[in-house]
Amino acid sequence: MKFKFSLIIVLFSMTTFGQLTGKVTDLNISKPTTINDTVIKVAYNFKKVSNNYAAVFFNGKLINYSLMSTINPESIATMNVIKKDTIIDSVKYNGRIMIEGKISYNHNFMPLNKFKLKYINPSENATVFQIDGNVIYEDYDSYLIDEKYILKAIVSTIDNPKEKIKLNIINLLTKSAKNIEDSKQIIIR
């Protein structure tokens, strides 16, 4: 009788106190893997160049929107956003961005192709530009950058005769705090 009573108490305590409720730390419950989880999903990133940008004015002069990716934030004195559609020279812009730069900072705006001619060795290979790892889809003759805010240009060449590919990938790194910190790191292999 004692044995039966002890067994009932043990089974009752296991079912009553053995259940977990609420959030439990360091408990990882994952669903079982199915055949669909092992199929690689491919996503194509077709980027259509959009003209639905805001009109950007720097020190009162209309500039290309692309300059926003390489302008030094420390060189901006004030910025004002006007959320009203604007038409300039028969081009519709979705608002205006008015930027006033600090007088002490001297900018040097130039298109990507001019930057390539100035710094990169000439090559017959096609070129793809990136800024901080983001591919630039716009026209390289009109895409403006601030030369003074470029930290480094990394040129990678792809030459695959079998695929008939000759390509230069130029990744421009800006002088952002993260890129400056990363450039100071020494990696020992």
Side-chain angles (χ1 to χ4, degrees), residues 148-179:
K148 295 197 175 204
Y149 194 58
I150 300 298
L151 175 68
K152 183 181 352 180
I154 302 169
V155 180
S156 303
T157 302
I158 298 172
D159 188 2
N160 186 334
K162 186 175 181 180
E163 297 285 331
K164 298 179 184 172
I165 297 174
K166 287 187 174 186
L167 182 66
N168 289 334
I169 300 174
I170 302 172
N171 189 10
L172 303 179
L173 297 180
T174 59
K175 292 181 181 176
S176 67
K178 180 186 179 308
N179 288 342

Short mmCIF file of all heavy atoms in Angstrom, two decimals, residues 148-179:
data_model
loop_
_atom_site.label_atom_id
_atom_site.label_comp_id
_atom_site.label_asym_id
_atom_site.label_seq_id
_atom_site.Cartn_x
_atom_site.Cartn_y
_atom_site.Cartn_z
N LYS A 148 36.12 64.56 -50.97
CA LYS A 148 36.79 64.75 -49.69
C LYS A 148 36.25 63.83 -48.60
O LYS A 148 36.84 63.72 -47.54
CB LYS A 148 36.69 66.20 -49.26
CG LYS A 148 37.43 67.11 -50.20
CD LYS A 148 37.70 68.43 -49.59
CE LYS A 148 38.56 69.21 -50.57
NZ LYS A 148 39.31 70.21 -49.94
N TYR A 149 35.10 63.17 -48.83
CA TYR A 149 34.52 62.28 -47.84
C TYR A 149 34.78 60.81 -48.19
O TYR A 149 34.24 59.92 -47.56
CB TYR A 149 33.01 62.55 -47.69
CG TYR A 149 32.40 61.92 -46.47
CD1 TYR A 149 32.86 62.21 -45.19
CD2 TYR A 149 31.35 61.03 -46.58
CE1 TYR A 149 32.29 61.64 -44.07
CE2 TYR A 149 30.77 60.45 -45.47
CZ TYR A 149 31.25 60.75 -44.22
OH TYR A 149 30.69 60.17 -43.09
N ILE A 150 35.63 60.55 -49.18
CA ILE A 150 35.98 59.18 -49.55
C ILE A 150 37.24 58.78 -48.80
O ILE A 150 38.27 59.45 -48.88
CB ILE A 150 36.18 59.04 -51.08
CG1 ILE A 150 34.90 59.43 -51.83
CG2 ILE A 150 36.64 57.63 -51.44
CD1 ILE A 150 33.70 58.57 -51.53
N LEU A 151 37.15 57.69 -48.06
CA LEU A 151 38.29 57.19 -47.28
C LEU A 151 39.20 56.32 -48.15
O LEU A 151 40.42 56.47 -48.15
CB LEU A 151 37.78 56.36 -46.09
CG LEU A 151 38.81 55.64 -45.23
CD1 LEU A 151 39.64 56.66 -44.47
CD2 LEU A 151 38.14 54.69 -44.25
N LYS A 152 38.58 55.43 -48.92
CA LYS A 152 39.36 54.45 -49.67
C LYS A 152 38.55 53.94 -50.84
O LYS A 152 37.33 53.84 -50.77
CB LYS A 152 39.71 53.29 -48.73
CG LYS A 152 40.58 52.23 -49.31
CD LYS A 152 40.93 51.03 -48.43
CE LYS A 152 40.56 51.01 -47.01
NZ LYS A 152 40.98 49.78 -46.31
N ALA A 153 39.25 53.61 -51.92
CA ALA A 153 38.62 52.95 -53.08
C ALA A 153 39.24 51.56 -53.20
O ALA A 153 40.45 51.42 -53.33
CB ALA A 153 38.85 53.75 -54.35
N ILE A 154 38.40 50.54 -53.14
CA ILE A 154 38.86 49.15 -53.26
C ILE A 154 38.42 48.65 -54.63
O ILE A 154 37.23 48.61 -54.93
CB ILE A 154 38.26 48.27 -52.15
CG1 ILE A 154 38.64 48.82 -50.78
CG2 ILE A 154 38.71 46.83 -52.31
CD1 ILE A 154 37.89 48.19 -49.63
N VAL A 155 39.40 48.27 -55.45
CA VAL A 155 39.10 47.80 -56.80
C VAL A 155 39.30 46.28 -56.84
O VAL A 155 40.38 45.78 -56.53
CB VAL A 155 40.03 48.46 -57.85
CG1 VAL A 155 39.70 47.96 -59.24
CG2 VAL A 155 39.91 49.97 -57.77
N SER A 156 38.24 45.58 -57.18
CA SER A 156 38.30 44.12 -57.37
C SER A 156 38.04 43.83 -58.83
O SER A 156 37.11 44.37 -59.42
CB SER A 156 37.23 43.42 -56.52
OG SER A 156 37.38 43.76 -55.16
N THR A 157 38.91 43.01 -59.42
CA THR A 157 38.77 42.67 -60.83
C THR A 157 38.31 41.23 -60.97
O THR A 157 38.87 40.33 -60.35
CB THR A 157 40.12 42.86 -61.56
OG1 THR A 157 40.53 44.22 -61.40
CG2 THR A 157 39.99 42.56 -63.03
N ILE A 158 37.28 41.06 -61.78
CA ILE A 158 36.78 39.72 -62.08
C ILE A 158 37.12 39.45 -63.54
O ILE A 158 36.71 40.19 -64.43
CB ILE A 158 35.27 39.62 -61.86
CG1 ILE A 158 34.94 39.87 -60.39
CG2 ILE A 158 34.73 38.27 -62.33
CD1 ILE A 158 33.47 39.98 -60.10
N ASP A 159 37.90 38.42 -63.78
CA ASP A 159 38.28 38.03 -65.14
C ASP A 159 38.00 36.54 -65.29
O ASP A 159 38.75 35.70 -64.81
CB ASP A 159 39.75 38.34 -65.40
CG ASP A 159 40.14 38.16 -66.85
OD1 ASP A 159 39.26 37.83 -67.68
OD2 ASP A 159 41.32 38.35 -67.17
N ASN A 160 36.89 36.22 -65.93
CA ASN A 160 36.47 34.85 -66.11
C ASN A 160 36.30 34.59 -67.61
O ASN A 160 35.24 34.86 -68.18
CB ASN A 160 35.15 34.60 -65.36
CG ASN A 160 34.72 33.16 -65.39
OD1 ASN A 160 35.09 32.41 -66.29
ND2 ASN A 160 33.93 32.77 -64.41
N PRO A 161 37.36 34.08 -68.27
CA PRO A 161 37.28 33.87 -69.72
C PRO A 161 36.20 32.89 -70.14
O PRO A 161 35.58 33.06 -71.19
CB PRO A 161 38.66 33.34 -70.09
CG PRO A 161 39.53 33.55 -68.92
CD PRO A 161 38.65 33.73 -67.73
N LYS A 162 35.94 31.89 -69.34
CA LYS A 162 34.93 30.90 -69.68
C LYS A 162 33.55 31.54 -69.79
O LYS A 162 32.77 31.23 -70.67
CB LYS A 162 34.92 29.77 -68.65
CG LYS A 162 34.01 28.63 -69.02
CD LYS A 162 34.13 27.49 -68.03
CE LYS A 162 33.21 26.35 -68.43
NZ LYS A 162 33.29 25.25 -67.49
N GLU A 163 33.24 32.46 -68.87
CA GLU A 163 31.96 33.17 -68.87
C GLU A 163 32.03 34.46 -69.70
O GLU A 163 31.04 35.17 -69.81
CB GLU A 163 31.54 33.52 -67.45
CG GLU A 163 31.29 32.33 -66.56
CD GLU A 163 29.98 31.65 -66.86
OE1 GLU A 163 29.05 32.32 -67.32
OE2 GLU A 163 29.90 30.43 -66.66
N LYS A 164 33.21 34.76 -70.22
CA LYS A 164 33.45 36.00 -70.98
C LYS A 164 33.10 37.23 -70.16
O LYS A 164 32.42 38.14 -70.62
CB LYS A 164 32.69 35.98 -72.30
CG LYS A 164 33.12 34.86 -73.22
CD LYS A 164 32.33 34.86 -74.50
CE LYS A 164 32.75 33.64 -75.33
NZ LYS A 164 31.92 33.46 -76.49
N ILE A 165 33.62 37.25 -68.92
CA ILE A 165 33.37 38.36 -68.02
C ILE A 165 34.69 39.03 -67.67
O ILE A 165 35.63 38.38 -67.23
CB ILE A 165 32.69 37.89 -66.72
CG1 ILE A 165 31.33 37.29 -67.01
CG2 ILE A 165 32.58 39.02 -65.71
CD1 ILE A 165 30.67 36.67 -65.81
N LYS A 166 34.74 40.33 -67.90
CA LYS A 166 35.84 41.17 -67.44
C LYS A 166 35.19 42.37 -66.77
O LYS A 166 34.54 43.17 -67.42
CB LYS A 166 36.73 41.62 -68.59
CG LYS A 166 37.61 40.55 -69.15
CD LYS A 166 38.58 41.12 -70.16
CE LYS A 166 39.56 40.05 -70.60
NZ LYS A 166 40.59 40.60 -71.46
N LEU A 167 35.36 42.45 -65.45
CA LEU A 167 34.61 43.43 -64.69
C LEU A 167 35.46 43.99 -63.56
O LEU A 167 36.15 43.25 -62.87
CB LEU A 167 33.36 42.74 -64.11
CG LEU A 167 32.38 43.55 -63.30
CD1 LEU A 167 31.70 44.59 -64.18
CD2 LEU A 167 31.34 42.63 -62.69
N ASN A 168 35.40 45.31 -63.40
CA ASN A 168 36.01 45.96 -62.24
C ASN A 168 34.90 46.37 -61.29
O ASN A 168 33.95 47.03 -61.70
CB ASN A 168 36.79 47.22 -62.65
CG ASN A 168 38.06 46.89 -63.39
OD1 ASN A 168 38.63 45.82 -63.23
ND2 ASN A 168 38.50 47.80 -64.21
N ILE A 169 35.02 45.98 -60.05
CA ILE A 169 34.09 46.41 -59.02
C ILE A 169 34.85 47.39 -58.13
O ILE A 169 35.84 47.04 -57.52
CB ILE A 169 33.56 45.22 -58.19
CG1 ILE A 169 32.84 44.24 -59.11
CG2 ILE A 169 32.65 45.72 -57.08
CD1 ILE A 169 32.40 42.97 -58.45
N ILE A 170 34.37 48.62 -58.11
CA ILE A 170 35.02 49.67 -57.33
C ILE A 170 34.12 50.00 -56.15
O ILE A 170 33.03 50.52 -56.32
CB ILE A 170 35.27 50.93 -58.19
CG1 ILE A 170 36.13 50.57 -59.40
CG2 ILE A 170 35.93 52.02 -57.35
CD1 ILE A 170 36.28 51.70 -60.41
N ASN A 171 34.59 49.65 -54.95
CA ASN A 171 33.84 49.93 -53.72
C ASN A 171 34.47 51.13 -53.05
O ASN A 171 35.62 51.09 -52.63
CB ASN A 171 33.86 48.72 -52.80
CG ASN A 171 32.93 48.88 -51.61
OD1 ASN A 171 32.13 49.81 -51.56
ND2 ASN A 171 33.03 47.99 -50.65
N LEU A 172 33.72 52.23 -52.98
CA LEU A 172 34.19 53.43 -52.31
C LEU A 172 33.74 53.39 -50.87
O LEU A 172 32.55 53.21 -50.59
CB LEU A 172 33.63 54.68 -53.00
CG LEU A 172 33.95 54.83 -54.48
CD1 LEU A 172 33.32 56.10 -55.03
CD2 LEU A 172 35.44 54.84 -54.73
N LEU A 173 34.69 53.53 -49.96
CA LEU A 173 34.37 53.57 -48.53
C LEU A 173 34.40 55.02 -48.09
O LEU A 173 35.37 55.73 -48.34
CB LEU A 173 35.35 52.74 -47.72
CG LEU A 173 35.38 51.25 -48.02
CD1 LEU A 173 36.41 50.54 -47.16
CD2 LEU A 173 34.02 50.63 -47.82
N THR A 174 33.32 55.46 -47.45
CA THR A 174 33.25 56.84 -46.97
C THR A 174 33.98 56.97 -45.63
O THR A 174 34.32 55.96 -45.00
CB THR A 174 31.79 57.28 -46.80
OG1 THR A 174 31.16 56.40 -45.88
CG2 THR A 174 31.06 57.26 -48.14
N LYS A 175 34.19 58.19 -45.21
CA LYS A 175 34.87 58.45 -43.94
C LYS A 175 33.89 58.42 -42.77
O LYS A 175 33.95 59.26 -41.88
CB LYS A 175 35.58 59.80 -44.01
CG LYS A 175 36.75 59.82 -44.95
CD LYS A 175 37.45 61.16 -44.96
CE LYS A 175 38.60 61.16 -45.94
NZ LYS A 175 39.23 62.49 -46.03
N SER A 176 33.02 57.41 -42.77
CA SER A 176 32.11 57.25 -41.63
C SER A 176 32.91 56.73 -40.44
O SER A 176 34.00 56.18 -40.59
CB SER A 176 30.99 56.28 -41.98
OG SER A 176 31.50 54.98 -42.16
N ALA A 177 32.37 56.91 -39.24
CA ALA A 177 33.06 56.48 -38.03
C ALA A 177 33.36 54.97 -38.07
O ALA A 177 34.44 54.54 -37.70
CB ALA A 177 32.23 56.83 -36.81
N LYS A 178 32.40 54.18 -38.56
CA LYS A 178 32.59 52.72 -38.64
C LYS A 178 33.71 52.37 -39.60
O LYS A 178 34.56 51.53 -39.29
CB LYS A 178 31.29 52.05 -39.07
CG LYS A 178 31.41 50.53 -39.17
CD LYS A 178 30.15 49.91 -39.75
CE LYS A 178 30.24 48.42 -39.89
NZ LYS A 178 31.38 47.91 -40.60
N ASN A 179 33.74 52.98 -40.79
CA ASN A 179 34.79 52.67 -41.76
C ASN A 179 36.16 53.10 -41.27
O ASN A 179 37.15 52.40 -41.51
CB ASN A 179 34.48 53.33 -43.11
CG ASN A 179 33.32 52.67 -43.82
OD1 ASN A 179 32.95 51.54 -43.51
ND2 ASN A 179 32.73 53.38 -44.77
#
